[in-house]
Amino acid sequence: MTETRKTSIHVINGPNLDMLGKREPHVYGTQTLDDINTDLAVRAKKAGLEVIPFQTNHEGEIVEKLHGIFTTGAGAVILNAAAYTHTSVAIRDAVSMLDIPVIEVHLSNIYKREAFRHKSLPADVVTGQITGFGSQVYRLALEAVRDLIHAG
Ligand code: DQA
């Protein structure tokens, strides 16, 4: 490990989350990802933390991002792997390598939706999961990692 910044919180968003605000607003709300990241940055700063946002539509880029975090260290990860939540063994395995808090989030309640969304592959290797509170899930996850980091 070459660098450890315990105050760095990586917020990783997977496919189609760059379309938040336009995409199925009845399911995902009207806030854009920029709105969410801006709100998180303000809240993080007040808590003495720094948010590092990342979004990609490509599975391997999430894997490589997690490898980078494994190598450099960080305070925590907030992860919405979106559709890859339900399909990606590779992302699950990369999450499993980390020994920092990883909070899985979903805007929609994945357990109230189609059966194929009920299974989360990383669910049993993350610290915890927050699902179904719309864009508030990111804020709730930040509060959780803030408490974990400041307690540790
Ligand atoms: C999602 C839920 C997933 O099932 C879906 O594929 C997404 C977003 C959510 O935040 O509710 O793209 O992760």
Side-chain angles (χ1 to χ4, degrees):
M1 197 178 278
T2 54
E3 182 197 351
T4 302
R5 285 175 297 164
K6 286 209 69 167
T7 53
S8 297
I9 313 301
H10 292 267
V11 181
I12 301 176
N13 280 289
N16 300 310
L17 294 171
D18 51 335
M19 299 302 284
L20 282 180
K22 299 180 210 140
R23 171 192 187 202
E24 299 177 90
H26 56 290
V27 178
Y28 299 112
T30 54
Q31 280 211 299
T32 67
L33 192 54
D34 277 350
D35 293 337
I36 290 167
N37 285 332
T38 301
D39 177 66
L40 283 180
V42 171
R43 291 174 188 279
K45 198 170 176 199
K46 284 186 193 151
L49 303 172
E50 178 202 8
V51 158
I52 303 170
F54 177 75
Q55 191 277 329
T56 178
N57 293 315
H58 303 280
E59 180 178 10
E61 289 183 1
I62 297 178
V63 171
E64 286 169 1
K65 183 75 183 172
L66 293 166
H67 290 181
I69 293 166
F70 175 83
T71 304
T72 61
V77 174
I78 297 172
L79 173 66
N80 187 347
Y84 291 138
T85 304
H86 317 299
T87 62
S88 178
V89 176
I91 291 173
R92 180 199 194 281
D93 286 350
V95 168
S96 193
M97 288 182 212
L98 298 177
D99 59 0
I100 57 174
V102 179
I103 313 297
E104 176 185 350
V105 298
H106 302 284
L107 295 108
S108 62
N109 183 343
I110 58 174
Y111 302 104
K112 279 172 72 173
R113 301 186 62 194
E114 303 96 322
F116 66 84
R117 295 184 205 273
H118 296 179
K119 179 72 186 165
S120 161
L121 272 68
D124 66 332
V125 292
V126 295
T127 308
Q129 187 191 65
I130 304 173
T131 184
F133 296 95
S135 59
Q136 296 299 322
V137 295
Y138 293 93
R139 174 180 65 78
L140 294 167
L142 184 68
E143 287 176 17
V145 297
R146 177 200 64 198
D147 292 353
L148 287 169
I149 288 170
H150 288 152

